[in-house]
């Protein structure tokens, strides 16, 4: 595995900007055209409105704004356990811990994030998470785990 310092710096800055909640500055780290994939059905889920196809830098800012709008930022305890870099590709592993604003439900899910960086910009963004846990936490009549 070859560690590319530009990839690592870009991923670390991405994580810092997510934590800061500055969606426009976060989106600046993405290329104008982005390959975007989430581990959800293509049609998304009605309880999780931020899950939809994305393909541009503006879509990225919109995604993170919507994600924050549905959660209580002060209760976010998401953690990163590993950042693995191999050339232009990076994998971030950790656990999502959020509280849903509308229901007060807390949820946790392990996650894996695959990013590809080209000339300091993120061109590929894939997230793998327990989408059932997220959907249940956001659904009005969801089942607690």
């Amino acid at each position: 595995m070859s560690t590319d310092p530009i990839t690592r710096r870009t991923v670390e800055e991405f994580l810092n900007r997510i934590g800061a909640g500055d969606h426009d500055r976060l989106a600046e780290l993405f290329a104008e055209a982005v390959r975007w994939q989430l581990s959800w059905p293509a049609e998304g889920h009605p309880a999780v409105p931020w899950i939809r196809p994305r393909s541009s830098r503006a879509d990225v800012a919109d995604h993170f704004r919507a994600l924050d709008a549905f959660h209580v930022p002060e209760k976010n305890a998401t953690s990163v356990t590993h950042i693995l870099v191999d050339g232009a590709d990076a994998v971030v592993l950790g656990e999502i811990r959020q509280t849903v604003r509308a229901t007060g439900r807390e949820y946790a899910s392990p996650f894996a994030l695959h990013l590809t960086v080209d000339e300091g910009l993120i061109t590929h963004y894939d997230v793998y998470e327990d989408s059932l846990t997220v959907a249940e936490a956001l659904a009005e009549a969801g089942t607690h785990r």
Side-chain angles (χ1 to χ4, degrees):
M1 194 177 308
S2 68
T3 300
D4 183 326
I6 293 172
T7 300
R8 178 165 290 282
R9 277 195 307 273
T10 302
V11 171
E12 288 173 349
E13 185 61 21
F14 166 80
L15 295 170
N16 288 335
R17 291 183 189 188
I18 284 178
D22 186 341
H23 311 297
D24 293 325
R25 282 193 67 237
L26 175 62
E28 290 172 358
L29 291 173
F30 285 78
E32 287 295 332
V34 179
R35 184 174 149 238
W36 184 275
Q37 181 177 335
L38 304 176
S39 63
W40 287 75
E43 67 276 4
H45 189 284
V48 189
W50 65 85
I51 302 301
R52 64 175 184 80
R54 309 280 181 170
S55 61
S56 71
R57 180 181 288 163
D59 286 340
V60 170
D62 180 62
H63 170 82
F64 288 101
R65 268 191 214 77
L67 186 63
D68 278 358
F70 281 84
H71 294 92
V72 180
E74 302 80 31
K75 293 187 176 183
N76 181 341
T78 297
S79 62
V80 171
T81 58
H82 295 84
I83 300 172
L84 309 168
V85 176
D86 185 11
D89 292 297
V91 174
V92 180
L93 302 173
E95 182 180 57
I96 298 166
R97 287 193 164 277
Q98 292 274 24
T99 300
V100 178
R101 187 180 306 276
T103 65
R105 291 189 186 125
E106 297 177 4
Y107 67 90
S109 168
F111 76 88
L113 172 62
H114 173 210
L115 301 168
T116 302
V117 176
D118 183 18
E119 296 183 13
L121 295 174
I122 299 167
T123 59
H124 176 168
Y125 180 92
D126 288 351
V127 176
Y128 305 92
E129 62 189 0
D130 181 353
S131 54
L132 179 59
T133 294
V134 176
E136 286 177 344
L138 279 123
E140 286 297 322
T143 305
H144 289 289
R145 286 196 160 193

